[in-house]
């Protein structure tokens, strides 16, 4: 991008990067969900995703023109971070719940919270609202508004705790 670009042309690289990051967050939540659901090691699942799934469109074809390819580096950071800091992440999530929700009964919600919480802890250079918004969009893709509100409430508390 040149310094004199304005309007839509200037926004495209920034927008593409944001979309790639959002796609990485979605795929990371899916990989962590798979880990919770199958009990397979997360590093093996993440490796499989990087080698086989991050460049695929939702219909299973490679590099679709309207599909965004996930940011592989961010995906790897999230999945390896969740794997390495599971106890820290779990502790923050449990502490942020206003009442005890049994997230083990809903592994996808748990996976979304784990990925988002890790990012709030580790990626302090990224504004918390950006991280929260992407994970709320992920949650909204799979759940009704009640679950989105639950995730939002927990993540807002965690963002205040993790970033103070």
């Amino acid at each position: 991008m040149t310094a004199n670009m304005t309007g839509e042309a200037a926004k495209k690289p920034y927008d593409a990067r944001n979309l790639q990051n959002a796609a990485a967050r979605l795929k990371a939540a899916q990989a962590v969900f798979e880990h919770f659901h199958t009990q397979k090691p997360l590093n093996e699942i993440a490796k499989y995703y990087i080698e086989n799934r991050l460049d695929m469109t939702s219909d299973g074809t490679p590099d679709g023109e309207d599909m965004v390819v996930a940011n592989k580096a961010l995906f790897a950071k999230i999945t390896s971070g969740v794997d390495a800091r599971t106890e820290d992440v779990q502790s923050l999530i449990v502490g942020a719940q206003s009442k005890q929700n049994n997230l083990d009964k809903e592994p996808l919600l748990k996976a979304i919270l784990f990925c988002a919480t890790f990012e709030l802890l580790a990626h302090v250079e990224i504004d918390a609202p950006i991280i929260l918004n992407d994970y709320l969009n992920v949650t909204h893709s799979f759940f009704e508004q009640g679950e989105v509100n639950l995730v939002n409430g927990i993540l807002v508390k965690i963002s205040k705790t993790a970033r103070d």
Side-chain angles (χ1 to χ4, degrees):
M1 182 170 82
T2 61
N4 63 357
M5 292 179 81
T6 59
E8 287 302 312
K11 290 181 182 179
K12 283 201 181 268
Y14 179 76
D15 291 343
R17 187 172 44 248
N18 286 345
L19 291 172
Q20 290 170 338
N21 290 345
R25 291 178 173 116
L26 170 64
K27 295 292 187 178
Q30 290 172 327
V32 173
F33 163 77
E34 189 173 329
H35 164 67
F36 291 150
H37 185 70
T38 65
Q39 297 300 306
K40 289 181 183 176
L42 183 52
N43 63 335
E44 290 177 16
I45 294 169
K47 182 180 180 208
Y48 176 80
Y49 270 65
I50 289 169
E51 292 173 354
N52 299 292
R53 295 192 60 188
L54 294 186
D55 292 332
M56 301 297 272
T57 65
S58 59
D59 66 357
T61 58
D63 295 325
E65 287 185 27
D66 5 342
M67 297 299 293
V68 176
V69 175
N71 176 335
K72 288 181 183 181
L74 180 58
F75 171 87
K77 284 179 188 175
I78 296 167
T79 54
S80 65
V82 166
D83 202 24
R85 297 186 70 181
T86 297
E87 290 179 19
D88 295 337
V89 168
Q90 176 77 30
S91 176
L92 280 170
I93 293 169
V94 168
Q97 294 179 58
S98 57
K99 59 182 179 180
Q100 191 59 30
N101 298 306
N102 192 348
L103 292 173
D104 290 330
K105 289 184 179 178
E106 190 47 72
L108 183 53
L109 273 182
K110 181 179 173 182
I112 293 166
L113 286 168
F114 266 65
C115 292
T117 300
F118 167 74
E119 277 209 79
L120 289 168
L121 280 171
H123 295 151
V124 293
E125 74 283 1
I126 302 172
D127 289 336
I130 292 170
I131 294 170
L132 269 63
N133 186 59
D134 279 353
Y135 285 106
L136 292 176
N137 286 336
V138 170
T139 307
H140 210 302
S141 297
F142 298 101
F143 296 99
E144 298 294 325
Q145 192 62 43
E147 289 84 359
V148 174
N149 293 344
L150 172 68
V151 168
N152 184 56
I154 292 171
L155 292 180
V156 166
K157 288 179 185 175
I158 290 170
S159 70
K160 290 176 182 176
T161 303
R163 302 252 170 143
D164 286 343

